[in-house]
Amino acid sequence: MKVFVNRRIPETGIHMLKEAGLEVFIPEHENLSHEEWLIYCQNHDAILSVGGEFRYDKDFFDQCPSIKTIALYSVGFDHVDIKEANRRHIPVGNTPDVLSKATSDVAFLLMQSVARRASYNFQKVKDGNWGDFDPMHALGQELYGKTLGILGLGRIGFEMAKKSLAAFDMNIIYHNRHQNEEAEKELKATYVSFEELIEQSDVLSIHANFTPEQKDLFHGPVFEKMKDNAIFINTARGGFQNEKDLYEALISKKIWGAGLDVTHPEPMSKESPLLELSNVCVLPHIGSATMEARTGMAKMAAENIIAFSKGDKIPYCANPEVYSENS
């Protein structure tokens, strides 16, 4: 079986694929045009897909009929048309859990960085603009005993809540499709409606899976209902926020600050007005950027493809319904 890996990943994953007797191809340059990417896909049986710039939709599957499985190097799979993959009996793998701690670390980092205006003050030092002591300049806020609201209390959200409770004794509220009994028992988390979440949170952190229906979920009217001391954190997908409305909410002091590891589009333009604000911290989608997490992701993606090549069910499947008799 021929496997196309569109970008370099930790060597552990590539070694596993080759040890399993699979033919692996990695292009010499990684910034592929859509046309180049499509040609490579058309000549392979499986894709180990790194990044989310290309969509796996009906048009893709029509043009690449040789593709039998896709192993995503990510937890999120919003760039894959799962219904279309199911219709064609194509299992799609992802890499859940292995990056939960690393991604929650970044959410926790952003929360603190925004609360203390860390990136703004670091830039002042770099610019030689330390200045004299001013007891009222660019003050931050403390997080002790505040309310952390989580949209999507799954594995990553659980780790974020756990850290916040341990470090700052924060009160945890959350909104999910389903209640999380483990979090309610271990973290004393309280399930609330979406309206209650946005109205009660001092820090609101997004950890949900993104769907097209949730595009711009956080827009003007939602920011209007949030606390004026609220910090908005997003390490999930940039599509959740309307960034024009977020900027307006920040400069009009409807909310207090924002920390983003994901933007829309990505990469964010260096001209974005959000980058000029002292109460904003933006990172370039580094949630899983640790050696441990990225190596774990490589192993899981390789395991998915190897299992498929042996005729087995892939172990980390984003669309397990593909194996049902009616799919």
Side-chain angles (χ1 to χ4, degrees):
M1 196 170 79
K2 297 169 66 177
V3 181
F4 170 45
V5 184
N6 64 304
R7 289 184 182 175
R8 292 183 303 113
I9 62 172
E11 189 59 33
T12 300
I14 303 301
H15 180 73
M16 288 172 63
L17 293 171
K18 292 180 177 179
E19 282 288 298
L22 304 179
E23 183 180 331
V24 180
F25 174 77
I26 305 172
E28 290 184 7
H29 70 95
E30 298 180 344
N31 295 319
L32 301 176
S33 68
H34 184 269
E35 291 73 21
E36 290 174 316
W37 169 76
L38 202 59
I39 290 170
Y40 288 134
C41 291
Q42 288 169 341
N43 289 292
H44 289 82
D45 306 298
I47 306 169
L48 198 160
S49 178
V50 186
E53 65 266 42
F54 300 124
R55 290 196 56 79
Y56 297 96
D57 52 16
K58 182 180 184 300
D59 183 60
F60 167 82
F61 290 120
D62 283 344
Q63 295 188 64
C64 302
S66 66
I67 293 299
K68 302 174 181 68
T69 189
I70 299 169
L72 303 175
Y73 190 75
S74 65
V75 176
F77 47 88
D78 50 289
H79 54 307
V80 180
D81 186 333
I82 292 295
K83 288 183 180 179
E84 193 65 29
N86 288 342
R87 192 175 74 81
R88 298 169 190 257
H89 306 286
I90 296 174
V92 177
N94 65 341
T95 60
D97 204 29
V98 69
L99 48 70
S100 297
K101 286 184 170 61
T103 303
S104 68
D105 285 347
V106 168
F108 191 69
L109 169 68
L110 284 168
M111 178 175 68
Q112 294 179 84
S113 296
V114 173
R116 298 303 299 269
R117 302 183 192 257
S119 58
Y120 166 75
N121 283 299
F122 178 48
Q123 189 63 48
K124 283 181 65 179
V125 176
K126 290 175 65 178
D127 292 343
N129 190 27
W130 188 311
D132 295 329
F133 174 68
D134 182 345
M136 295 303 295
H137 177 68
L139 299 183
Q141 60 171 298
E142 297 184 9
L143 298 167
Y144 301 99
K146 298 287 181 67
T147 295
L148 170 66
I150 292 184
L151 179 65
L153 188 54
R155 297 179 180 94
I156 300 172
F158 188 95
E159 291 294 333
M160 172 61 169
K162 186 177 177 181
K163 290 177 175 69
S164 300
L165 178 63
F168 298 113
D169 194 26
M170 297 183 81
N171 172 47
I172 310 300
I173 61 175
Y174 74 99
H175 181 71
N176 266 13
R177 285 175 297 177
H178 308 289
Q179 289 187 232
N180 188 325
E181 293 181 2
E182 180 187 1
E184 291 178 3
K185 181 179 179 180
E186 185 173 334
L187 306 176
K188 298 180 181 178
T190 301
Y191 177 85
V192 296
S193 68
F194 181 72
E195 287 291 318
E196 291 171 318
L197 185 81
I198 62 177
E199 290 172 356
Q200 297 176 19
S201 298
D202 296 304
V203 178
L204 197 156
S205 191
I206 303 178
H207 301 282
N209 289 324
F210 180 75
T211 62
E213 294 74 27
Q214 293 170 310
K215 185 178 185 299
D216 291 344
L217 176 63
F218 286 85
H219 62 299
V222 170
F223 292 126
E224 288 270 355
K225 294 178 181 178
M226 292 173 67
K227 291 184 175 183
D228 59 10
N229 72 306
I231 295 173
F232 174 76
I233 303 294
N234 189 3
T235 56
R237 285 291 186 268
F240 276 109
Q241 72 241 356
N242 181 306
E243 289 176 13
K244 180 180 178 182
D245 289 358
L246 175 59
Y247 175 77
E248 293 295 331
L250 289 163
I251 62 171
S252 61
K253 299 184 179 180
K254 302 296 184 187
I255 65 172
W256 195 85
L260 309 175
D261 188 44
V262 288
T263 62
H264 185 69
E266 288 186 6
M268 173 183 271
S269 168
K270 67 178 183 178
E271 306 300 328
S272 171
L274 285 168
L275 300 177
E276 301 299 320
L277 302 181
S278 68
N279 52 348
V280 171
C281 181
V282 180
L283 299 175
H285 206 149
I286 62 166
S288 64
T290 67
M291 286 300 300
E292 293 85 354
R294 294 279 170 90
T295 299
M297 292 166 68
K299 290 178 179 178
M300 293 175 79
E303 287 171 7
N304 280 333
I305 291 177
I306 292 167
F308 180 86
S309 73
K310 294 178 177 178
D312 299 331
K313 291 183 179 180
I314 64 177
Y316 313 105
C317 192
N319 60 334
E321 64 276 9
V322 76
Y323 291 112
S324 69
E325 293 180 2
N326 296 324
S327 68

